[in-house]
C-alpha cells in the first residue's frame, strides 16, 4: 500500500519518515565537533557531509510536506491533547528542518568559507567575513538543540504509546 489509510501510514510516508530519521540522527554527530575542536573520528567521518546531508533533509522535508498534504484526508489521527502535542511538535520539527540549512549556509559563508554541497561549490569563498551572517547563522545551533530535544520527545512519545498505552501508534509507522 503506497498511500496512507486511516489505520496505517503507507509505504511512501514510512519511507520518508525512516530515511529522514536516519539522516537527522546522523546529523547529530556534528555535536562531536565540540570535542577537541572536531579533531577526532566523529568530526573526520561525519563533518564533511554535514552541509550536504542538511540540504538533502531540507529537500526531503519539502517533498514530505507536499506528500502529507496530499494524504491528509486519509491519514491516521491521534485525537485529544496528545494529538495536538504531536501535531505541534511535528510543526516545529519541520520548521527546524526547513530553516536550519539556510542558517547553516549563512554561518559558513559569513565565517569566510565557501559553501559546498555534494562536492560542488555552491558559493565561492567570500572576500571577507560578514558578521551579520554569522550572527544570524548562530541560530542554526540553537535550532539544532531544539531539534534534538524534539527528536527525543518524539522517541519517548512513541515508546509511551507502545509500552504504556499499548495502542497501535508505533505500529502504524513500522
Amino acid at each position: 500500500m503506497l498511500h496512507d489509510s486511516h489505520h496505517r501510514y503507507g509505504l511512501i510516508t514510512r519511507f520518508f519518515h525512516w530515511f529522514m530519521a536516519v539522516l537527522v540522527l546522523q546529523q547529530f554527530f556534528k555535536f562531536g565537533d565540540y570535542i577537541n575542536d572536531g579533531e577526532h573520528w566523529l568530526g573526520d567521518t561525519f563533518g564533511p557531509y554535514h552541509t550536504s546531508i542538511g540540504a538533502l533533509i531540507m529537500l526531503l522535508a519539502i517533498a514530505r510536506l507536499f506528500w502529507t498534504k496530499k494524504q491528509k484526508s486519509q491519514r491516521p489521527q491521534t485525537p485529544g491533547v496528545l494529538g495536538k502535542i504531536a501535531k505541534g511538535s511535528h510543526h516545529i520539527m519541520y520548521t527546524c528542518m526547513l530553516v536550519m540549512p539556510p542558517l547553516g549556509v549563512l554561518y559558513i559563508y559569513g565565517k569566510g568559507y565557501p559553501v559546498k554541497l555534494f562536492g560542488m561549490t555552491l558559493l565561492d569563498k567570500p572576500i571577507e567575513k560578514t558578521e551579520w551572517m554569522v550572527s544570524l547563522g548562530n541560530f542554526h545551533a540553537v535550532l539544532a538543540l531544539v531539534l534534538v530535544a524534539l527528536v527525543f520527545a518524539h522517541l519517548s512519545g512513541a515508546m509511551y504509546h507502545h509500552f504504556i498505552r499499548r495502542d497501535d501508534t508505533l505500529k502504524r509507522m513500522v
Side-chain angles (χ1 to χ4, degrees):
M1 159 176 83
L2 290 177
H3 296 274
D4 297 345
S5 73
H6 293 292
H7 304 289
R8 184 173 168 86
Y9 293 102
L11 185 62
I12 295 171
T13 299
R14 286 183 282 137
F15 167 78
F16 274 129
H17 180 271
W18 292 108
F19 185 52
M20 290 176 70
V22 168
L23 293 177
V24 168
L25 290 174
Q26 181 273 330
Q27 291 293 78
F28 292 169
F29 287 120
K30 186 66 173 169
F31 286 112
D33 280 357
Y34 294 111
I35 305 167
N36 198 26
D37 291 328
E39 298 297 324
H40 54 81
W41 73 272
L42 275 175
D44 294 341
T45 305
F46 296 103
Y49 306 105
H50 186 77
T51 305
S52 298
I53 298 299
L56 179 59
I57 290 169
M58 183 181 74
L59 293 174
L60 287 169
I62 292 167
R64 188 174 177 185
L65 285 169
F66 281 116
W67 178 253
T68 299
K69 185 176 173 82
K70 183 178 178 187
Q71 300 296 303
K72 188 174 183 172
S73 66
Q74 54 207 40
R75 302 188 98 198
Q77 300 295 320
T78 303
V81 173
L82 291 178
K84 291 183 189 316
I85 292 170
K87 191 173 191 174
S89 64
H90 280 90
H91 284 245
I92 298 169
M93 281 194 282
Y94 276 107
T95 300
C96 288
M97 290 186 285
L98 294 171
V99 173
M100 286 174 66
L103 289 175
V105 167
L106 282 175
Y107 183 81
I108 292 167
Y109 197 70
K111 282 282 199 176
Y113 298 105
V115 177
K116 296 180 180 184
L117 296 177
F118 302 104
M120 298 179 298
T121 301
L122 183 67
L123 296 170
D124 286 324
K125 183 177 179 176
I127 296 170
E128 59 187 33
K129 294 180 181 180
T130 310
E131 286 305 315
W132 72 265
M133 288 182 174
V134 174
S135 295
L136 197 54
N138 278 324
F139 285 105
H140 177 87
V142 174
L143 291 178
L145 293 173
V146 170
L147 186 58
V148 166
L150 287 171
V151 166
F152 281 116
H154 186 73
L155 289 168
S156 299
M159 296 300 104
Y160 168 75
H161 277 280
H162 189 71
F163 292 111
I164 295 173
R165 292 193 69 177
R166 298 187 186 276
D167 61 20
D168 67 343
T169 300
L170 181 61
K171 292 176 186 174
R172 296 185 305 205
M173 190 53 84
V174 291

